[in-house]
Amino acid sequence: MAEHPGELVVIRIPTPLRSYTNGADQVAVQATTVGDAITALGDAHPGILERVVAPDGSLRQFVNIYLGADDIRVLHGLVTPLPAGAVLAIVPAVAGGAGGKERRLNELRAVIPELTPLEAFGSQVRGGVLIDIREADEIAQGSPPNALRLGRGFLELRIEGLVPDYDQPVMTLCGGGVRSLFAAEALRQLGYRQVASVIGGYSRWKADGLPCELPQTMSNEEKERYSRHLSMPEVGEAGQAKLLDSKVLLVGAGGLGCPAALYLAAAGVGTLGIVDDDRVDRSNLQRQVLHTHGRIGQLKVDSARASLLALNPGIHIETYPERLTSSNVEHLFAGYDLVVDGSDNFPTRYLVNDACVKLEIPNIHGSVYRFEGQVTVFWPGYAERRGPCYRCLYPEPPPPELAPSCAEAGVLGVLPGIVGLLQATEAIKLLLDLGDPLVGRLLCYDALPGRFSEYTLLPDPSCAYCGDHGAFPGYVDYTAFCRAAA
């Protein structure tokens, strides 16, 4: 249908379509054919053209157009020429008893594509986004895997943060295929250009035998506890559920492990493991914030467990009151998503590195010295870029005079808190796949000038543990290795 200025003609608008013309019962356009007139009407009043003309350009079967008293189908169809002053009348099929809801649904079905559940599943596999807009109690009974479970009430508020590409195909799904039409219309109004509704909703999805899962649901108490996470589009219920399903192992319940564990517990990481064979000493209390004066002499893992559960009784704490060794490291690391290394000696740091490389677990490294701290993520298997391991950065430990312990050199009490919280931040980023982790980047903090510095870390291709050599070389006597290097 080509547009031509032509003569001024009048198009009479039936009641069901007047919502598109701001209530006007007739519209004047310039056109030389019926098709030109309908196109001009659609240009002037977006949305109405799709109600009259099918995607292939033909007149819809439930609509008739009359030129005077004649149906254009018995004339020349959409190419019927129009004389000056012609009057066109659009006459759609009307069921006399239809209420406003039915009329509105018919209007929506005329402009919003509807997909069968199988078609929607195929689109999802190809990168489309399936949005479950049902209420939380409905979703708790089952939902398609990998669907965005937003609920109708939060759809417009959260969708742009989760699906920023307006050209990405999006599909709305409800219980039976009605609410999803209204939700799809809302997405179109927001600017999404490829929007469809799933016919029959979740009921038909299940009946057609497509994949379903029972998503983890949160209690009202958990929703209140994690409400600040739930209101963030980057986290939301799906992200919080992922945190609750996550498992993080902390090596050490000291200056770094205490603040890291405290905030990981508060964030709702579902399982925290703590490895430490030491006991609480009075000198620890200046910086190890999980322990108290009344727990002096207790195992650190027991003291830490008590503090963490007092903060968040809804998580699970695994304690390992033993020293990390080559014989137990793989058993202790098994099943954890990542390791937060807060150890205070070089033999343990090299052991943690080697085990993480072998098991392909991210190793979130932190260290402190007087007023200075370091944080990085050792993860050679990171998909976005190849990162180094600890041995790439430090092939051998320094002599004792260059790396005295905290007991020998001292440490500013607040410094481990800063570094431990940075480690916790990296852990949550990795668990939720958010942002840019410190893989291949060393973040250094100097408290005296109040300055952060960042340095690039490159992997060593010849590294015996993470290089391109093949087999894992095995664990060593780490105490002897560090003593020999010194």
Side-chain angles (χ1 to χ4, degrees), residues 142-208:
S143 180
N146 302 315
L148 290 182
R149 295 150 190 158
L150 299 186
R152 181 65 188 91
F154 290 95
L155 180 64
E156 290 93 333
L157 296 176
R158 297 174 58 189
I159 185 62
E160 291 175 298
L162 297 169
V163 186
D165 184 357
Y166 291 96
D167 288 315
Q168 188 169 7
V170 291
M171 300 155 288
T172 54
L173 175 139
C174 64
V178 174
R179 287 173 291 170
S180 58
L181 282 167
F182 291 99
E185 180 195 30
L187 294 179
R188 282 166 55 94
Q189 292 175 346
L190 284 177
Y192 289 92
R193 287 177 276 274
Q194 297 190 63
V195 183
S197 172
V198 180
I199 299 171
Y202 186 64
S203 296
R204 180 168 169 182
W205 183 285
K206 287 194 301 181
D208 287 353

Side-chain angles (χ1 to χ4, degrees), residues 264-295:
L264 291 174
V269 174
T271 299
L272 294 177
I274 307 173
V275 184
D276 199 317
D277 68 340
D278 200 4
R279 292 180 179 271
V280 179
D281 184 85
R282 185 172 282 103
S283 65
N284 301 148
L285 304 181
Q286 167 245 18
R287 64 201 177 279
Q288 299 181 18
V289 292
L290 288 179
H291 312 308
T292 67
H293 180 82
R295 296 183 192 153

